Each structure stands twice: as structure tokens, then as C-alpha cells.
Amino acid sequence: MATTNTKPFSCDNCIECCANVPVSAKEMVTIRRAVRAMPQEQIDRLRGQTRKTGACPLVDVENKRCTVYEARPWLCRMFGYMEKAQCPYNKHIKLMPFAEAQKKFMADVGASTQEDIQAVGVLGRDITWEKGLVRL
Ligand code: SF4
Ligand code: SF4
């Protein structure tokens, strides 16, 4: 995902995996809060950008960065570090087994049941500026 320069690899100037990201209800609350805090000009600019099919509505295509970095979903944080989410440019990274990653997900977001982490939508597919983010 579009991240700042974090170890062990950097996503600077890459937004390639910013697409089709499932989000839980709790994550949507955090994302909506972050979007509400954006200046209207930024929202208008993001809404006006041309995106590839499935691209996350929150990615700044022009500047190649995440506009809700602090509020980005867990999968965005884990991309490149777990099975089923390998970064094509950083294949040297040892991936966390998927089951272990799911347990970590639940612990990280304070979830006690699978329902707590169930996706309510997918950024770029059914959560777009026109659907899901428009009525904030
Ligand atoms: S995880 Fe990989 S594909 Fe995704 S933004 Fe970072 S460098 Fe690009
Ligand atoms: S929230 Fe969107 S823009 Fe931000 S890192 Fe995730 S996919 Fe990329």
C-alpha cells in the first residue's frame, strides 16, 4: 500500500496495490472520520482523479500516496508482510502465515469474533466516492 518510508521496505511513489481492499465496519468508521476531516478542495481533487478499475478512492493518484494514512485499514498495513498479500517488488520479505495474520488482525483491532472483522465493503469496488463515501 502507499506508505511512507518504513522498514524493511519502502512504498514511496508506489500505489500499485491500492485497490480492492476489504474493510470492516470499525475500519469504515475510522476512514469516514478521516475523510470528514479533509478539506473540501482535497475531496474534490480526489473525486476528480482518473482511477484504474478497482483503485482505492482514497489514493492520491497524482502524488502517489495514501490520503488516510493514519486511518488506513489493517490489510493496507499488512500488505507485503503476510501470505496472500505479497508485494511483487519485495519478494524477499518473509511472509507471516495467513492464519497467524488473521489472529494478529483480531488482536490489533480488538476484535473478539470473526464477525468483528468481517468486511462490510471493498475500497475501490463497492466503496467509491459515488458509493459509500459520498454521504458522510
Ligand atoms: S506494498 Fe508493494 S505494491 Fe504495494 S505500494 Fe508498497 S511497494 Fe507498491
Ligand atoms: S486506504 Fe487506500 S490509499 Fe490508503 S493504503 Fe489503503 S488502499 Fe492505499
Side-chain angles (χ1 to χ4, degrees), residues 77-128:
R77 296 168 195 268
M78 286 300 288
F79 201 94
Y81 299 102
M82 68 177 186
E83 285 174 3
K84 301 189 184 180
Q86 186 178 45
C87 170
Y89 307 115
N90 291 284
K91 290 186 174 171
H92 62 288
I93 300 293
K94 188 176 180 320
L95 302 176
M96 184 184 288
F98 191 70
E100 193 185 317
Q102 262 204 327
K103 274 192 204 157
K104 180 170 160 46
F105 181 15
M106 293 182 73
D108 285 355
V109 300
S112 48
T113 67
Q114 284 287 327
E115 272 182 12
D116 293 337
I117 57 166
Q118 200 164 351
V120 292
V122 177
L123 283 169
R125 194 177 72 196
D126 46 17
I127 304 169
T128 62

Side-chain angles (χ1 to χ4, degrees), residues 24-38:
S24 69
K26 219 170 174 179
E27 289 174 327
M28 266 319 285
V29 170
T30 312
I31 289 170
R32 285 201 165 102
R33 197 178 296 135
V35 173
R36 269 192 229 109
M38 282 181 193

